[in-house]
């Protein structure tokens, strides 16, 4: 498949073949990795098929990998469906892994308190390693400021500094 992606101008037919070959991969982890690699190059009309393929995955870890790879490339009409799929992942760590790539497209600066509560983004991201959480905090800053002002963001930063002193 690597030669496929280096073609100067891959055609719709080539992408359809690549997606069909990806569907044939038995190992869901490898199938998720293939979808993640195809997503940035795939025509928009095939992304719906890729999302359907992701939804069929039984392994939550693999589904999270595929969803995070698709998140930045899905048209808006599929983005909400994919986000719902990410939230449906039962295991917190894998759910957070999927959601981290959705943050770039969420309109967090206009979020209201009810939606913030529903999303539980800080809680979800707390399942990630500390470094991952810290890297994602700037993406959440607009929502934190919207809901609690700059003082709330400063409170988050202060709490993180305190935790870092306790747990290097």
């Amino acid at each position: 498949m690597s030669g496929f992606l280096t073609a100067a101008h891959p055609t719709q037919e080539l992408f359809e073949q690549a997606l069909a070959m990806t569907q044939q991969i038995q190992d869901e982890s490898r199938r998720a990795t293939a979808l993640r690699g195809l997503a940035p190059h795939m025509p928009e009309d095939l992304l719906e098929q890729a999302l359907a393929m992701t939804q069929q995955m039984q392994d939550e870890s693999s589904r999270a990998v595929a969803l995070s790879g698709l998140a930045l490339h899905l048209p808006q009409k599929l983005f909400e469906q994919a986000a719902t799929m990410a939230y449906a992942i039962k295991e917190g760590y894998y759910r957070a892994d999927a959601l981290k790539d959705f943050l770039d497209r969420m309109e967090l600066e206009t979020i209201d308190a009810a939606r913030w509560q529903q999303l539980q983004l800080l809680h979800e991201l707390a399942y990630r390693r500390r470094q991952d959480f810290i890297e994602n905090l700037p993406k959440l800053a607009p929502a934190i400021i919207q809901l609690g002002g700059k003082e709330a963001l400063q409170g988050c930063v202060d709490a993180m500094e305190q935790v870092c002193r306790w747990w290097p």
Side-chain angles (χ1 to χ4, degrees):
M1 200 155 37
S2 64
F4 162 78
L5 292 178
T6 59
H9 299 286
T11 65
Q12 177 83 12
E13 184 180 340
L14 285 174
F15 278 108
E16 289 170 1
Q17 290 173 359
L19 198 56
M21 289 187 322
T22 301
Q23 179 69 47
Q24 299 306 313
I25 298 172
Q26 295 299 310
D27 182 283
E28 287 186 342
S29 175
R30 291 175 190 243
R31 188 176 332 132
T33 301
L35 285 172
R36 185 181 185 99
L38 284 170
H41 312 283
M42 197 178 303
E44 191 172 299
D45 62 321
L46 294 179
L47 287 169
E48 188 167 4
Q49 290 178 37
L51 188 59
M53 192 182 307
T54 300
Q55 191 167 22
Q56 294 170 359
M57 292 180 180
Q58 299 300 308
D59 178 58
E60 290 191 329
S61 172
S62 299
R63 196 171 335 122
V65 167
L67 284 169
S68 68
L70 290 168
L72 296 176
H73 309 288
L74 292 171
Q76 190 60 40
K77 65 180 182 175
L78 296 176
F79 181 78
E80 288 298 323
Q81 179 184 347
T84 300
M85 286 171 55
Y87 276 107
I89 295 173
K90 291 179 178 71
E91 173 59 43
Y93 180 85
Y94 299 135
R95 186 173 51 246
D97 194 38
L99 288 171
K100 70 180 174 17
D101 290 316
F102 284 80
L103 290 176
D104 289 332
R105 294 201 39 206
M106 291 182 175
E107 295 178 10
L108 296 175
E109 64 278 351
T110 61
I111 199 165
D112 63 24
R115 182 71 171 146
W116 178 260
Q117 279 297 107
Q118 180 187 19
L119 293 176
Q120 298 182 355
L121 290 173
L122 287 174
H123 175 75
E124 296 298 338
L125 293 173
Y127 279 95
R128 305 290 300 151
R129 295 177 311 149
R130 182 176 45 174
Q131 180 179 341
D132 295 330
F133 181 83
I134 291 169
E135 287 173 6
N136 282 296
L137 189 61
K139 296 175 186 176
L140 296 173
I144 294 170
I145 292 169
Q146 168 73 17
L147 296 169
K150 292 181 180 178
E151 301 79 22
L153 181 60
Q154 185 61 53
C156 287
V157 171
D158 292 345
M160 286 175 41
E161 286 177 346
Q162 191 174 24
V163 168
C164 288
R165 283 193 296 270
W166 299 336
W167 191 13

